[in-house]
Amino acid sequence: MPSTEEGKAGAWFARVSHEISAAWAISRKDMITYYIKPNIIMMGILFPFFMFLAFAIGKNAPPGTLIPGLIAITLLFSASSIEPVSIPIERRVKTFDRLLSAPISLHSLVFGESLSGFLYSLGIACFPFIVGIILFATPIEHAPFLVIAMALTAFCFATLGTLFAAYPTENVGEVMSMLNTVRLPLIFISGVFIPLSAMPQIGQDIALFSPLTYGNDMIAYAYTGTSLFSPLLDILVLVIFILIFQLAANHLYKKFNE
């Protein structure tokens, strides 16, 4: 009996290792191929920077206090920009079909694609973080919560990008157009530019359904020590959004590629 259980445990471990290796291979492929694509540079770096700059100009707040919001929208746009570019291109050149036919689960495929956006966005978000420290000496009250907030927010929106990329098209513009109908409203209803307390009640109610609300709230807490929600609630809600997006993406990739 013990040998049988050990055999099952060994088989399970080997399967998990195989799936993780496959996910990393998919992520590494995207890193090498797509990180410097013009679409990704534009939507992941330049667009959030100039949009934030447009709304920051004219505000009386010290520049350092704007850093948490800049990190939040940088994570939103950079994390969700990899897969909507890479997957339609791979459909066009027929390499995505090879991934679907590979001996790996859809969970590994979705996780691997999301992982590339996750790592990309963390790297990009380090720039406003470093600028805040070096140029504005922006204090950080709770550094561990900042790390957790950036990681969860990045993976949440990387999975969102993977979810939208499930739409069966070879046109990058189609996926980006659909994605922007979600991303653009999020930055206005999530407390990045307008505090939730200053919004009408209907705006505050809608903000509760935005993952960016909780990511931005937790990042603000890490910097200032104050937040609208409990940091533990922010973590819980972001994890729930990640699970929902992962499961939805798995369902759609299975449905569209049967």
Side-chain angles (χ1 to χ4, degrees):
M1 182 65 68
S3 60
T4 302
E5 292 179 354
E6 289 176 3
K8 290 181 179 179
W12 178 85
F13 182 78
R15 178 63 180 175
V16 171
S17 298
H18 172 72
E19 296 289 343
I20 292 175
S21 297
W24 173 246
I26 293 170
S27 176
R28 185 172 178 273
K29 174 261 300 177
D30 284 353
M31 293 180 203
I32 296 172
T33 308
Y34 299 104
Y35 272 15
I36 59 172
K37 288 286 184 182
N39 287 4
I40 291 174
I41 293 175
M42 182 65 188
M43 296 304 300
I45 303 175
L46 298 181
F47 184 78
F49 173 75
F50 286 115
M51 173 167 285
F52 187 87
L53 187 64
F55 281 88
I57 292 176
K59 282 192 173 183
N60 296 324
T65 63
L66 303 175
I67 294 298
L70 178 57
I71 291 176
I73 65 169
T74 299
L75 289 171
L76 165 63
F77 281 93
S78 59
S80 58
S81 292
I82 300 293
E83 296 76 24
V85 172
S86 67
I87 293 178
I89 291 176
E90 291 186 354
R91 283 197 184 99
R92 190 185 311 153
V93 298
K94 307 306 180 185
T95 56
F96 191 68
D97 293 337
R98 299 177 192 172
L99 290 178
L100 292 172
S101 61
I104 59 173
S105 67
L106 278 176
H107 293 285
S108 294
L109 173 61
V110 172
F111 181 77
E113 294 288 356
S114 302
L115 186 60
S116 62
F118 165 75
L119 295 174
Y120 177 76
S121 65
L122 286 183
I124 298 302
C126 284
F127 287 102
F129 170 73
I130 294 171
V131 167
I133 293 176
I134 296 177
L135 295 185
F136 305 117
T138 308
I140 301 174
E141 297 288 336
H142 303 285
F145 279 103
L146 179 60
V147 174
I148 296 171
M150 290 177 64
L152 290 178
T153 304
F155 197 74
C156 180
F157 289 116
T159 304
L160 180 67
T162 305
L163 172 61
F164 273 83
Y167 181 71
T169 180
E170 299 176 359
N171 189 334
V172 172
E174 287 186 42
V175 181
M176 281 296 188
S177 296
M178 292 189 298
L179 183 58
N180 283 334
T181 61
V182 174
R183 292 194 300 191
L184 293 177
L186 287 185
I187 64 176
F188 296 107
I189 65 169
S190 303
V192 176
F193 297 124
I194 304 172
L196 295 184
S197 58
M199 291 183 183
Q201 186 59 46
I202 187 173
Q204 296 181 28
D205 293 340
I206 295 174
L208 298 177
F209 296 94
S210 166
L212 185 60
T213 298
Y214 304 94
N216 180 64
D217 186 62
M218 195 173 173
I219 293 171
Y221 172 78
Y223 273 93
T224 66
T226 60
S227 61
L228 184 62
F229 308 108
S230 163
L232 295 180
L233 177 62
D234 290 331
I235 292 173
L236 176 62
V237 175
L238 285 172
V239 169
I240 291 173
F241 271 113
I242 289 171
L243 293 175
I244 291 173
F245 293 157
Q246 284 278 316
L247 292 174
N250 272 272
H251 173 73
L252 290 180
Y253 280 103
K254 182 178 181 180
K255 177 180 179 181
F256 290 136
N257 295 282
E258 287 179 342

